Amino acid sequence: MSKKILKTAKNKTKGFFSLLVESITYKVVIFAIFAVYLVYSFAVYRSSIQSQINKNTKAHLSEIVNESLEKVHIKINDEFIVAHTMTGFYGEDIELSITEKLLKDAMEKHPFEGILILDKDKQSVLSVGNVSTFEDDTFIDKAMDGKDSISKIYSMNDAEYISLAVPIFSQETQEVSNIMICTYGIQELTGILDTSTFEQIGTTFISQEDGTLVARPKAVKKNTNLYDLLNTLDINNTTSIQKLKKYLKNGSSGILTYGKSSKKIYVCYNVIPDTEWYSVSVVSASAIEPIVKRLSNLSYNYAVQLGIVIVIYMMIILGIDMNVLRKKKLENLQ
């Protein structure tokens, strides 16, 4: 009995597959080709959209970087304007005691740590507040040549400072007769530049070429060097850090991308005009690319739904063809 049942089952299975093969008509073949083409087209479309979004993301970041850079540039220029205004307090026809009083009043209204006036031989003419002798005085030479300049970060009394130097011109000869140096504490300068946030989607850092941070928002914590800080942000690839150093040293600007998926990070870098400082903004891809995630989810859902529709359609076509073929065979037997 069991052999008979087994033989009957085999015959039915064989008959089903035979009927299935006969039912695969040109309609099914054409539809299969169309389905493959549709899936391929969709894959190309998705890749193209992803590529375009990446380009748009970088363009959007560049636009924001330029705006942020302009804001920093304006704030630095504002400080130079204040310093140039104060040069009017000094002159051959103004007593030093009056100049000193005016400078002290200015210090109470502005976050200066100290103000120093030097002659052309770099000798002190007048000083108020905390002032320093500078090991690296190349920024003073620039001011002597009639240009506004900024010092590198230096230490004084166990604290870090930075100074702005502006030329003082003689009213008679219109040549540089003295220079004025305004000194700021690092924290005061950070408050002035106010670059801790990058459009609320990341953090902006301002550094010297060697990576020493000029502005130090809370995000830096105890780190005082940009490259050390980047290592704490999972950008610990030595090659990547060296690449960024090279670009900054060459005065380049652009956007580097590190990592993948949820750990993807954009590093936007640029030179701040009229300074030897660099603006480096670190932005997480998850903050700037929410649309990419939404598109990926939509694409995935669309692919699944399309696949289900194709399978159901093919099953219906096969079912109809098999049913028609079965009826024809029964008619032929009759």
Side-chain angles (χ1 to χ4, degrees):
M1 184 71 178
S2 59
K3 289 183 178 180
K4 187 176 181 180
I5 294 173
L6 183 61
K7 185 177 180 180
T8 303
K10 285 183 177 180
N11 289 335
K12 286 184 177 181
T13 303
K14 185 178 179 181
F16 172 79
F17 280 107
S18 176
L19 193 61
L20 180 63
V21 171
E22 291 183 51
S23 301
I24 299 177
T25 63
Y26 71 94
K27 291 183 292 185
V28 178
V29 174
I30 292 174
F31 182 79
I33 295 173
F34 171 75
V36 171
Y37 175 75
L38 189 63
V39 171
Y40 171 76
S41 298
F42 171 74
V44 172
Y45 167 78
R46 182 179 177 183
S47 176
S48 176
I49 289 295
Q50 182 72 41
S51 176
Q52 189 59 48
I53 286 178
N54 288 338
K55 290 180 180 178
N56 290 344
T57 297
K58 290 191 176 184
H60 180 55
L61 278 174
S62 295
E63 189 176 316
I64 298 176
V65 166
N66 290 334
E67 289 179 6
S68 178
L69 208 65
E70 185 61 26
K71 289 177 183 177
V72 174
H73 188 207
I74 289 172
K75 289 181 178 181
I76 293 171
N77 279 341
D78 286 345
E79 296 306 304
F80 276 123
I81 289 172
V82 171
H84 278 291
T85 299
M86 291 193 302
T87 60
F89 299 160
Y90 176 79
E92 296 176 358
D93 55 343
I94 303 175
E95 293 183 10
L96 281 180
S97 59
I98 296 175
T99 299
E100 183 176 8
K101 182 179 183 305
L102 291 172
L103 292 180
K104 285 181 178 179
D105 290 342
M107 284 185 61
E108 292 179 0
K109 299 175 182 178
H110 209 76
F112 301 124
E113 291 285 339
I115 301 173
L116 175 65
I117 297 178
L118 300 179
D119 62 20
K120 294 200 70 172
D121 296 323
K122 300 182 182 178
Q123 299 300 309
S124 175
V125 175
L126 177 65
S127 66
V128 294
N130 294 325
V131 295
S132 172
T133 54
F134 304 95
E135 293 183 8
D136 183 357
D137 59 359
T138 52
F139 81 106
I140 296 178
D141 293 332
K142 288 183 180 179
M144 289 293 184
D145 290 335
K147 301 176 182 177
D148 297 341
S149 61
I150 303 174
S151 75
K152 293 183 178 180
I153 293 174
Y154 60 91
S155 298
M156 180 174 61
N157 301 327
D158 297 324
E160 290 182 305
Y161 298 87
I162 201 161
S163 294
L164 273 60
V166 296
I168 300 176
F169 295 93
S170 169
Q171 292 181 351
E172 292 183 1
T173 63
Q174 299 301 313
E175 295 180 353
V176 177
S177 58
N178 301 82
I179 66 167
M180 179 177 288
I181 300 174
C182 300
T183 299
Y184 303 79
I186 286 296
Q187 295 307 318
E188 293 292 346
L189 194 64
T190 297
I192 291 170
L193 298 179
D194 188 23
T195 57
S196 59
T197 59
F198 183 77
E199 296 293 317
Q200 299 181 341
I201 58 174
T203 304
T204 297
F205 307 99
I206 297 176
S207 77
Q208 298 176 167
E209 183 182 315
D210 62 1
T212 303
L213 292 171
V214 176
R216 299 176 184 176
K218 292 180 181 179
V220 307
K221 297 180 180 179
K222 293 183 179 180
N223 294 295
T224 59
N225 187 280
L226 172 66
Y227 305 118
D228 293 339
L229 179 63
L230 291 179
N231 276 326
T232 68
L233 299 173
D234 291 332
I235 307 177
N236 49 14
N237 186 304
T238 303
T239 303
S240 300
I241 297 296
Q242 292 301 323
K243 188 186 296 184
L244 181 60
K245 287 181 179 179
K246 177 183 177 181
Y247 290 150
L248 294 186
K249 187 173 182 180
N250 293 337
S252 303
S253 63
I255 299 175
L256 297 176
T257 305
Y258 299 111
K260 296 180 180 179
S261 302
S262 60
K263 292 186 177 181
K264 187 176 177 182
I265 294 174
Y266 291 102
V267 178
C268 317
Y269 56 94
N270 212 331
V271 180
I272 299 175
D274 301 327
T275 73
E276 294 182 358
W277 297 346
Y278 301 85
S279 172
V280 179
S281 300
V282 180
V283 185
S284 170
S286 59
I288 194 66
E289 293 183 337
I291 189 173
V292 176
K293 186 175 181 181
R294 289 199 298 271
L295 178 67
S296 297
N297 291 336
L298 288 172
S299 299
Y300 175 77
N301 293 335
Y302 176 71
V304 171
Q305 292 170 11
L306 181 63
I308 292 173
V309 169
I310 290 174
V311 170
I312 292 174
Y313 181 80
M314 290 184 70
M315 289 177 67
I316 292 172
I317 292 295
L318 282 172
I320 292 172
D321 285 351
M322 288 175 71
N323 189 47
V324 170
L325 188 59
R326 187 183 294 109
K327 286 181 179 180
K328 285 183 178 180
K329 285 189 175 184
L330 288 174
E331 290 175 358
N332 293 333
L333 290 174
Q334 292 176 357

Coordinates of all heavy atoms in Angstrom, one line a residue, residues 1 13 20 71 80-81 96 107 110 257:
M1 N 0.8 -1.2 0.0 CA 0.0 0.0 0.0 C 0.9 1.3 0.0 O 0.6 2.2 -0.7 CB -0.9 0.0 1.2 CG -1.9 1.1 1.3 SD -3.2 1.0 0.0 CE -4.2 2.4 0.4
T13 N 4.1 14.6 -8.5 CA 5.2 15.6 -8.4 C 5.8 15.7 -9.8 O 6.0 16.9 -10.3 CB 6.3 15.1 -7.4 OG1 5.7 14.9 -6.2 CG2 7.4 16.2 -7.4
L20 N 4.5 22.6 -14.9 CA 5.1 23.9 -14.6 C 6.0 24.3 -15.8 O 6.0 25.5 -16.2 CB 5.9 23.8 -13.3 CG 6.6 25.1 -12.9 CD1 5.6 26.2 -12.6 CD2 7.5 24.8 -11.6
K71 N 32.6 84.8 10.0 CA 32.3 85.4 11.3 C 33.5 85.5 12.2 O 33.7 86.5 12.8 CB 31.3 84.4 12.0 CG 29.9 84.4 11.4 CD 29.0 83.4 12.1 CE 27.6 83.4 11.5 NZ 26.7 82.3 12.1
F80 N 41.2 94.1 15.9 CA 42.2 95.0 15.3 C 41.7 96.5 15.2 O 42.5 97.4 15.4 CB 42.6 94.5 13.9 CG 43.6 93.4 13.9 CD1 43.4 92.2 13.3 CD2 44.9 93.6 14.5 CE1 44.4 91.2 13.3 CE2 45.9 92.7 14.4 CZ 45.6 91.4 13.8
I81 N 40.4 96.6 14.9 CA 39.9 98.0 14.9 C 40.0 98.6 16.3 O 40.3 99.8 16.4 CB 38.4 97.9 14.4 CG1 38.3 97.5 12.9 CG2 37.7 99.3 14.6 CD1 36.9 97.3 12.4
L96 N 52.6 110.9 28.3 CA 52.5 109.5 28.6 C 51.5 109.2 29.7 O 50.9 108.1 29.7 CB 53.9 108.9 28.9 CG 54.8 108.7 27.7 CD1 56.1 108.1 28.2 CD2 54.2 107.7 26.7
M107 N 41.2 99.0 29.1 CA 41.3 97.7 29.6 C 40.2 97.3 30.5 O 39.8 96.1 30.6 CB 42.6 97.5 30.4 CG 43.9 97.4 29.6 SD 45.4 97.1 30.6 CE 45.0 95.5 31.3
H110 N 37.4 96.4 27.9 CA 37.7 95.4 26.9 C 38.6 94.3 27.6 O 39.3 94.6 28.5 CB 38.4 96.0 25.7 CG 38.2 95.3 24.5 ND1 37.0 95.4 23.7 CD2 38.9 94.4 23.7 CE1 37.1 94.6 22.7 NE2 38.2 94.0 22.6
T257 N 36.8 63.1 4.7 CA 35.8 62.1 5.3 C 36.5 61.0 5.9 O 37.4 60.3 5.3 CB 34.9 61.6 4.2 OG1 34.3 62.8 3.5 CG2 33.7 60.8 4.8

